[in-house]
Amino acid sequence: MRDIDLVAVAGLLHDIGKFGQRAEIELKKDSYKSYDYRYNHARYTAQILHELSFNLGDELSDSTSMHHNPKDDISWVIASADRMASGFEREKFDEYNAKFEKENFKRQRLWHLFDKDKKFAIDTLNPNSIYPVDKNKDSENEYKKLWNSFIKDLKKIKEKATSSIDRFTIDYLLKKYTSFMPSSTTFKIKDYAPVKANIPLYDHLRATAVFSSAIYKLYKNGNKNIMNYYKGDNSDMEQKDMLLINGDFFCIQNFIFDQVPALKASKILRAKSAYIQILTKIIAFYIVDELELSYNSIISTNAGKFEILGVNDKDSISKLHKIQKELNDFFIKEYFAETGIGISFTEASLADFAVEGRYKNELRKKLADEVEKTKFKKFDLLARDPVLSYDEDINNQNLCEYCNKRKKEEGKDGCQSCNLFIDIGKKLAKSNFFSISKGSGQYKIFGNYFINFSDELRRIDNVIALYDITNDKEFKGYAKWELSSYVAKNDEDEVKTFEELAKESVKEGKKDGVREHGVEALMAMKGDVDSMGKFIQNSKVTNSFARYNFFSRMIDYFFSVKASQMMKEKALYTVFAGGDDIFVLGAWDEVIKFTRELREEFIEFARGSELTLSVGMIMTKPNKPINFVADVVEEALEKSKEYKPEQKEEDKEKNAITLFGQTVGFDDYIYDMTKDFQIIKEMAQKYPDVFNTAFLYRLLELCDMKENIEDDIKNTMWKSKLSYMFKRNVVKKIKNENFDDLFKQINKNIETYGAGFKVVLSEFIYKRRVK
């Protein structure tokens, strides 16, 4: 491993002593060199680094442990990165650390991301630990159990060496065990506002690794400006020493859905989505390789985006322009410029990270502006030959059956690109491990980078990253990557086709495998978080570099991991889930049920914030062209995003669901309509001949009348028609029961929601419909 990689890993591990100290492990004498570490947690770091399976070497271990009392340039690199990651200016940082040692840090918990009255449990990162708990449960030291599990997992790392693979594994284990440990504790420093325990230890460690890589590269280039600032020497906080680099995969939806035949869609959609994740990560790897940075310089890669912190020099900028040209050539040749990756970057100074408010309010805004500019310069076609290459002698017999753009490979139904997606889909469904290699491998992806799938645990010499992609909880010695999103499988362990998923609809409508009632259909659902940009800009949750990354990865974790867990055993197919959005297909009633559950879980996860979720849904036959379905469900989502409640002024806009052609507020749908509709369902089951399909269709007509009063004055008669219908068709036929409550609820819902009430009516009708 290169020196810059080792220094970055050292930054990642520099505060591991806080974990050991809080777990009250024995601090051994004479097990490491005796230095003035200044603080106890640094002393613990020294001991742990000398005993850790992942060996940094004695010299670097010493330099890492001395980050509060630096003794050489390398320890000053890590010390400077630690201070930057803390988001403190020089004086505040020293005061903070002096106070930290006196706090009861062994019992203090991390404050929840959103709920100011709640905290996180001290636990591993898992789908059940992302929710807030009572803030007063700080009664005992919970670190010991976690530490023992952490050490047990460390022993599963097979190779006790500084390999590139183990670097990702160490990062994964730190994320698993320190995501809900506070990096700092709560107290007030002089005139500064109280420092809350609101940054996880993991995000502080990751930020330190990112900054260590950049500062070390600057140091090797002869630039000690940032180090000098923290030394108290001559320096300039405003000097633009760094580059914040962004990569954005554009036109993702077109890439996934366009030209995919409905009958073959289940074989290829999920693979295309996974391919975007894979390619995004590989391009990020390629950039840090070319810029001679560490893989720890990659801040994030998810949902078709990546961010990297590099150094601001002519060589880096020139290489970024060169890489953009290579990417343009790749996407024009392989995908006819229908999709691509745009690289944007902006200069950054120490002040952009260390001065309060600068990172979010200035640096991220500048980067966002650069990203927007890049979108208007896709492929730079004016400066290049825009002629696209194509396969010669294409005809109906040899045309790819998946994309309809290139020739089939001999003996196969698809072209080379589509067959790659199909193979990836098959491998994802059945493989346990996934790796990225350079020079050779199973499938070439970009440049000199390959990917590999395997069932057995093994290391390959040219592999630079290896991941466990199983969905179980067991740690097998390698970093986990939630690449294999949930899909329902049949008895042969094959991914279910959309036709098979549709047949899973309304299972209670079947008897002995034969459908007696209920519609067979597919439902598509697309959802995302409302007003994310506005929230990021205005919320204190995203105030610092580390806090911003914590927020981003938790939102991504909810959709990529928690949502996937919720889908298990359901007739569902994940097209994509990550970042702040999700796209799911499946048996229509299963998708509706899952959507309600997802929204409830998201509200609990984001409790205390203004974040809400909107979704669009469309019911369709499984043989409909999938690109048409994607377009229509996108339109449905847009209707939800444009929703403005008319009845309750205090409600926010958006926060809505569009289903069966109607858009309603999510709270109204879940807490009012669905609840009130239960009495109709009960009556329909009790008196099926009275509350029959004709009765329900008549209610649909009354909903439309209420909705369209302004168009026709005759529609004001809906109330009298409802009253007459009840007296004639219900009260006269069933004289031994009082229907006043039922009438009032139906009247209230039509009055309040108009056509919106058709959402719950339609669902019930489709479940009752006789074949």
Side-chain angles (χ1 to χ4, degrees):
M1 191 184 294
R2 300 168 303 166
D3 288 344
I4 192 171
D5 297 311
L6 287 169
V7 171
V9 174
L12 185 66
L13 292 166
H14 81 285
D15 265 349
I16 190 67
K18 289 183 178 180
F19 190 1
Q21 183 185 25
R22 296 171 193 179
E24 298 178 331
I25 66 172
E26 180 186 356
L27 192 60
K28 302 173 184 176
K29 294 182 179 180
D30 303 324
S31 62
Y32 51 91
K33 293 180 181 178
S34 178
Y35 295 123
D36 178 11
Y37 295 98
R38 188 167 291 184
Y39 303 115
N40 277 334
H41 74 268
R43 190 170 288 107
Y44 276 90
T45 292
Q47 175 173 308
I48 293 166
L49 290 183
H50 282 85
E51 296 178 349
L52 200 65
S53 300
F54 189 93
N55 183 15
L56 291 173
D58 290 343
E59 186 174 349
L60 185 53
S61 294
D62 291 342
S63 295
T64 305
S65 307
M66 295 295 292
H67 61 275
H68 285 293
N69 189 18
K71 62 183 180 66
D72 56 30
D73 283 342
I74 299 303
S75 54
W76 266 113
V77 167
I78 297 166
S80 301
D82 177 35
R83 287 150 173 77
M84 281 185 69
S86 299
F88 291 158
E89 296 176 58
R90 184 172 55 239
E91 295 80 5
K92 185 177 177 181
F93 182 83
D94 292 336
E95 292 172 356
Y96 158 73
N97 279 284
K99 180 71 175 175
F100 173 80
E101 291 288 318
K102 300 175 184 178
E103 293 300 310
N104 186 11
F105 49 80
K106 295 177 184 177
R107 294 183 179 179
Q108 203 160 67
R109 293 174 180 237
L110 181 74
W111 286 89
H112 194 261
L113 253 176
F114 309 115
D115 194 331
K116 64 181 180 180
D117 296 320
K118 300 283 187 177
K119 295 184 178 181
F120 286 105
I122 298 174
D123 198 355
T124 59
L125 175 61
N126 64 75
N128 298 319
S129 63
I130 61 177
Y131 300 100
V133 296
D134 187 353
K135 70 177 181 180
N136 296 317
K137 293 183 178 179
D138 301 358
S139 58
E140 59 184 74
N141 186 345
E142 298 167 292
Y143 287 95
K144 292 181 180 179
K145 181 179 179 181
L146 280 185
W147 177 262
N148 292 334
S149 296
F150 175 65
I151 294 301
K152 183 178 178 181
D153 277 351
L154 276 178
K155 291 178 180 177
K156 294 181 180 179
I157 300 178
K158 304 299 182 182
E159 232 177 61
K160 295 183 179 179
T162 54
S163 73
S164 59
I165 297 171
D166 288 336
R167 136 184 55 199
F168 294 107
T169 308
I170 289 289
D171 184 279
Y172 166 76
L173 287 182
L174 289 172
K175 179 170 68 173
K176 176 182 177 181
Y177 284 100
T178 68
S179 279
F180 300 126
M181 294 181 186
S183 174
S184 63
T185 49
T186 304
F187 55 88
K188 181 178 174 61
I189 305 173
K190 291 187 177 180
D191 295 331
Y192 290 106
V195 177
K196 291 192 72 174
N198 59 10
I199 297 177
L201 181 57
Y202 173 71
D203 290 280
H204 173 69
L205 297 175
R206 278 288 293 126
T208 304
V210 169
F211 293 134
S212 292
S213 179
I215 295 171
Y216 181 79
K217 176 93 186 275
L218 289 167
Y219 161 69
K220 296 301 287 185
N221 289 349
N223 183 345
K224 295 185 179 183
N225 181 57
I226 295 175
M227 294 165 61
N228 287 340
Y229 170 79
Y230 288 110
K231 286 180 179 180
D233 296 340
N234 291 332
S235 60
D236 180 4
M237 282 189 76
E238 300 293 343
Q239 184 169 298
K240 304 296 185 182
D241 292 317
M242 294 165 286
L243 289 177
L244 186 56
I245 305 164
N246 174 278
D248 193 359
F249 209 123
F250 52 80
C251 299
I252 289 178
Q253 184 154 311
N254 289 342
F255 174 75
I256 293 176
F257 295 107
D258 274 5
Q259 304 297 320
V260 176
L263 295 178
K264 299 179 182 292
S266 63
K267 292 185 177 182
I268 200 168
L269 288 185
R270 184 178 66 137
K272 279 190 167 185
S273 177
Y275 175 79
I276 289 171
Q277 296 180 64
I278 292 167
L279 184 57
T280 302
K281 189 178 286 289
I282 284 176
I283 299 304
F285 282 3
Y286 178 52
I287 289 174
V288 296
D289 280 344
E290 288 294 295
L291 300 188
E292 298 177 331
L293 298 167
S294 165
Y295 290 129
N296 289 106
S297 300
I298 301 171
I299 301 166
S300 63
T301 61
N302 58 56
K305 293 179 172 59
F306 61 79
E307 286 192 4
I308 297 167
L309 187 68
V311 302
N312 184 15
D313 56 31
K314 291 181 180 179
D315 182 59
S316 295
I317 293 173
S318 175
K319 286 179 177 177
L320 286 172
H321 288 307
K322 169 180 166 289
I323 293 169
Q324 181 67 79
K325 184 179 182 303
E326 291 173 353
L327 289 173
N328 290 345
D329 291 341
F330 173 78
F331 282 103
I332 288 173
K333 178 182 177 181
E334 298 294 329
Y335 306 114
F336 301 99
E338 292 176 331
T339 187
I341 292 178
I343 298 176
S344 312
F345 54 86
T346 187
E347 297 175 332
S349 68
L350 170 59
D352 288 324
F353 296 97
V355 175
E356 187 175 358
R358 285 277 293 269
Y359 176 71
K360 180 178 75 173
N361 297 329
E362 296 183 26
L363 183 59
R364 292 218 66 86
K365 186 178 184 303
K366 288 191 290 185
L367 182 62
D369 290 343
E370 291 300 320
V371 171
E372 285 301 310
K373 291 178 185 177
T374 301
K375 289 179 180 179
F376 289 102
K377 298 185 293 184
K378 295 174 184 175
F379 299 109
D380 195 20
L381 292 177
L382 293 177
R384 61 182 301 132
D385 182 0
V387 177
L388 304 178
S389 63
Y390 59 91
D391 294 339
E392 296 181 355
D393 301 323
I394 293 180
N395 55 51
N396 290 334
Q397 284 68 46
N398 62 21
L399 186 64
C400 173
E401 296 179 13
Y402 294 89
C403 69
N404 295 311
K405 295 173 184 174
R406 296 198 182 277
K407 291 171 66 173
K408 298 177 184 179
E409 287 190 297
E410 189 174 348
K412 297 184 178 181
D413 293 335
C415 65
Q416 184 175 0
S417 292
C418 291
N419 287 330
L420 171 63
F421 300 141
I422 294 167
D423 286 350
I424 287 175
K426 290 178 180 178
K427 295 289 186 180
L428 280 174
K430 297 183 177 181
S431 300
N432 295 323
F433 300 98
F434 168 87
S435 63
I436 300 172
S437 57
K438 291 178 72 174
S440 62
Q442 291 177 0
Y443 304 102
K444 185 175 182 179
I445 300 298
F446 176 83
N448 203 29
Y449 293 81
F450 294 75
I451 61 171
N452 314 276
F453 294 90
S454 63
D455 295 327
E456 300 297 326
L457 197 62
R458 62 186 182 187
R459 295 186 180 233
I460 306 170
D461 289 340
N462 64 337
V463 165
I464 59 175
L466 195 156
Y467 302 96
D468 173 1
I469 57 172
T470 57
N471 290 321
D472 58 27
K473 297 179 181 179
E474 182 187 359
F475 175 69
K476 304 180 181 70
Y478 298 90
K480 279 187 175 288
W481 185 9
E482 295 79 19
L483 182 62
S484 182
S485 301
Y486 176 79
V487 289
K489 297 181 183 179
N490 57 28
D491 294 338
E492 286 74 41
D493 202 33
E494 299 287 343
V495 176
K496 286 186 177 181
T497 65
F498 293 161
E499 189 76 36
E500 290 174 315
L501 289 175
K503 289 180 181 178
E504 293 287 312
S505 302
V506 197
K507 293 178 181 177
E508 62 270 26
K510 291 182 178 181
K511 185 176 181 181
D512 298 326
V514 179
R515 181 170 300 283
E516 296 184 332
H517 63 84
V519 172
E520 283 186 7
L522 202 66
M523 182 75 80
M525 182 276 279
K526 186 178 183 185
D528 69 14
V529 180
D530 296 318
S531 305
M532 275 285 283
K534 183 178 179 181
F535 178 84
I536 290 170
Q537 185 63 35
N538 298 329
S539 174
K540 292 182 179 179
V541 168
T542 56
N543 266 356
S544 70
F545 179 76
R547 285 277 286 169
Y548 183 94
N549 293 334
F550 178 35
F551 166 77
S552 297
R553 73 179 178 87
M554 291 301 289
I555 292 289
D556 177 70
Y557 187 86
F558 179 86
F559 286 101
S560 62
V561 181
K562 176 63 182 180
S564 183
Q565 181 208 49
M566 293 170 59
M567 294 183 205
K568 288 184 178 179
E569 308 304 321
K570 293 182 172 67
L572 301 176
Y573 179 105
T574 308
V575 179
F576 56 76
D580 69 336
D581 58 4
I582 185 169
F583 194 120
V584 173
L585 294 158
W588 71 269
D589 58 320
E590 292 266 24
V591 174
I592 292 176
K593 181 181 178 183
F594 167 73
T595 301
R596 287 197 289 254
E597 293 171 352
L598 181 74
R599 199 271 182 169
E600 291 299 278
E601 292 293 333
F602 182 78
I603 292 301
E604 182 62 25
F605 163 72
R607 188 170 300 282
S609 75
E610 296 180 356
L611 291 175
T612 55
L613 182 71
S614 287
V615 304
M617 306 173 73
I618 176 175
M619 192 175 184
T620 182
K621 292 297 182 183
N623 59 356
K624 280 286 181 71
I626 195 65
N627 57 340
F628 168 78
V629 174
D631 288 342
V632 177
V633 79
E634 182 69 30
E635 291 174 5
L637 177 58
E638 287 303 313
K639 288 181 181 178
S640 296
K641 294 291 186 180
E642 295 167 359
Y643 174 75
K644 294 183 180 181
E646 298 175 0
Q647 304 296 331
K648 303 176 183 178
E649 292 183 0
E650 70 274 15
D651 282 354
K652 305 177 184 68
E653 57 186 55
K654 305 182 180 181
N655 189 21
I657 177 173
T658 298
L659 176 61
F660 300 123
Q662 304 299 323
T663 303
V664 295
F666 241 132
D667 287 339
D668 294 333
Y669 169 63
I670 291 179
Y671 304 128
D672 200 356
M673 291 186 217
T674 302
K675 179 181 177 182
D676 285 353
F677 198 77
Q678 286 301 115
I679 191 171
I680 299 178
K681 291 173 67 175
E682 291 170 5
M683 288 299 173
Q685 291 171 355
K686 189 174 182 180
Y687 304 110
D689 293 336
V690 173
F691 297 94
N692 52 25
T693 301
F695 177 87
L696 296 172
Y697 272 101
R698 188 64 178 140
L699 290 182
L700 291 178
E701 293 175 7
L702 297 178
C703 290
D704 285 330
M705 289 179 68
K706 169 60 178 67
E707 188 73 22
N708 298 303
I709 285 176
E710 293 183 1
D711 297 334
D712 189 343
I713 195 170
K714 292 180 181 179
N715 288 333
T716 57
M717 297 176 63
W718 74 266
K719 281 195 174 186
S720 60
K721 288 180 178 290
L722 176 64
S723 179
Y724 175 76
M725 184 175 73
F726 252 81
K727 288 178 181 178
R728 179 183 178 184
N729 297 326
V730 179
V731 176
K732 285 188 177 181
K733 292 182 178 181
I734 308 172
K735 297 182 179 181
N736 61 343
E737 190 156 357
N738 189 319
F739 293 99
D740 288 349
D741 289 341
L742 174 62
F743 176 81
K744 288 177 182 178
Q745 284 188 350
I746 293 176
N747 182 79
K748 182 200 79 172
N749 278 279
I750 297 177
E751 175 72 48
T752 304
Y753 304 114
F757 191 52
K758 293 167 66 176
V759 172
V760 289
L761 279 168
S762 298
E763 179 181 351
F764 189 53
I765 289 171
Y766 283 128
K767 285 184 177 179
R768 281 168 51 102
R769 181 175 289 175
V770 177
K771 186 174 180 181

